[in-house]
């Protein structure tokens, strides 16, 4: 039987560990229109890190899970769509760590809703 042992040395300069993109929270965004209505455009993200999605043509949309960096301060979410009548709705939801933190609903034939959530 062969036994191997490895040792490693590291220099500790006493500085704090700087881990880029360390995440403390997860973000999921949801947009949903009423029956017959469609989403056309989304803008979402945190702080100045924004993503645009165009040409959707769907009734519902859910983001992938987004890892928020430790220093993130605000989540922004805007969606536009087309309603089939004046009673049509567009609902936006912001979930942080699986918990609903913010919900906004708009109505009409021209659907446009904007919301945000402060993380701090």
């Amino acid at each position: 039987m062969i036994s191997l042992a490895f040792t490693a040395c590291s220099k500790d300069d006493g500085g704090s560990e700087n881990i880029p993109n360390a995440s403390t929270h997860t973000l999921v965004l949801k947009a949903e229109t009423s029956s017959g209505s469609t989403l056309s455009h989304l803008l979402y993200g945190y702080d100045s890190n924004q993503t645009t999605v165009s040409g959707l043509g769907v009734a519902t949309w859910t983001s992938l899970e987004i890892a928020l960096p430790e220093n993130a301060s605000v989540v922004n979410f805007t969606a536009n769509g087309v309603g089939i009548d004046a009673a049509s709705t567009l609902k936006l939801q912001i979930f942080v760590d699986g918990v609903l933190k913010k919900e906004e609903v708009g109505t009409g034939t021209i659907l446009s809703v904007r919301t945000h959530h402060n993380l701090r």
Side-chain angles (χ1 to χ4, degrees), residues 73-94:
S73 61
V74 65
V75 173
N76 296 298
F77 190 20
T78 302
N80 298 312
V82 178
I84 60 169
D85 58 34
S88 298
T89 61
L90 168 56
K91 176 172 60 176
L92 300 185
Q93 296 177 314
I94 297 174

Side-chain angles (χ1 to χ4, degrees), residues 12-70:
D12 184 1
D13 62 6
S16 64
E17 220 174 280
N18 182 11
I19 303 171
N21 300 322
S23 175
T24 58
H25 298 287
T26 57
L27 171 69
V28 174
L29 305 166
K30 294 184 180 183
E32 180 180 357
T33 63
S34 55
S35 181
S37 301
T38 57
L39 292 165
S40 55
H41 179 85
L42 300 169
L43 175 64
Y44 66 91
Y46 57 90
D47 300 334
S48 63
N49 183 5
Q50 300 295 306
T51 300
T52 301
V53 180
S54 298
L56 287 168
V58 297
T60 62
W61 176 88
T62 302
S63 72
L64 296 174
E65 192 172 87
I66 300 165
L68 294 172
E70 185 176 346

